[in-house]
Amino acid sequence: MEPQPTLYESLGGMPALRRLSDAFYERVLADELLAPVFANFSPRHVEHVAVWLGEVFGGPTAFTTSLGGHQSLLHSHLGLGIRDEHRQRWLELMSAAVEETLPDSPELHAPLMSYFEWGTAIAQEVSQDPVGTDLGDPGPTPRWGREGLQA
């Protein structure tokens, strides 16, 4: 029996994740609630998110090898003070971006949104700590599949 393709492969690799990231951040920057949270982000952020998602969903380890890995991602959320309403709006906008950019792959929506639910909860928790907080070693970049977090 042939192994099932990774989410990364099923999504269409980096081109699809770049489209998703672009569509999502276009919505975020136009959103009254979320735009202020992202006021200081750089345009490279959109590409970094696509690279992060590529690694999480089973693609190349470029975020770990070139952008600081899991530790870097967590540190980027320190001090943001993400509230419940921010997180819920983020999820709504991401869901809309997933639907727009992956209309022919409805079977992928649930595993993607499951990851985003899980990841945004962690981001919200970390965001309550001030910049410079020592988070310890969070371990390697998580990998996410159709059934959730992979061991």
Side-chain angles (χ1 to χ4, degrees), residues 50-116:
V51 172
W52 167 261
L53 293 176
E55 185 166 340
V56 167
F57 294 145
T61 60
F63 198 92
T64 295
T65 58
S66 301
L67 298 172
H70 197 190
Q71 183 80 255
S72 174
L73 180 87
L74 292 175
H75 276 268
S76 71
H77 291 88
L78 287 172
L80 292 179
I82 298 169
R83 300 188 313 263
D84 289 339
E85 59 267 26
H86 293 133
R87 180 171 175 254
Q88 288 309 309
R89 186 65 180 146
W90 193 102
L91 289 166
E92 290 167 11
L93 297 180
M94 181 55 83
S95 180
V98 167
E99 289 178 20
E100 174 193 323
T101 60
L102 300 166
D104 299 328
S105 303
E107 75 283 359
L108 298 177
H109 294 196
L112 294 181
M113 292 312 298
S114 177
Y115 166 72
F116 294 129

Side-chain angles (χ1 to χ4, degrees), residues 17-82:
L17 290 170
R18 284 186 180 106
R19 284 192 303 276
L20 176 60
S21 191
D22 287 342
F24 172 69
Y25 282 103
E26 185 176 303
R27 286 170 167 78
V28 165
L29 295 177
D31 188 78
E32 192 174 292
L33 179 63
L34 290 183
V37 177
F38 290 87
N40 296 322
F41 95 120
S42 82
R44 290 186 320 238
H45 180 84
V46 177
E47 174 67 11
H48 291 179
V49 168
V51 172
W52 167 261
L53 293 176
E55 185 166 340
V56 167
F57 294 145
T61 60
F63 198 92
T64 295
T65 58
S66 301
L67 298 172
H70 197 190
Q71 183 80 255
S72 174
L73 180 87
L74 292 175
H75 276 268
S76 71
H77 291 88
L78 287 172
L80 292 179
I82 298 169

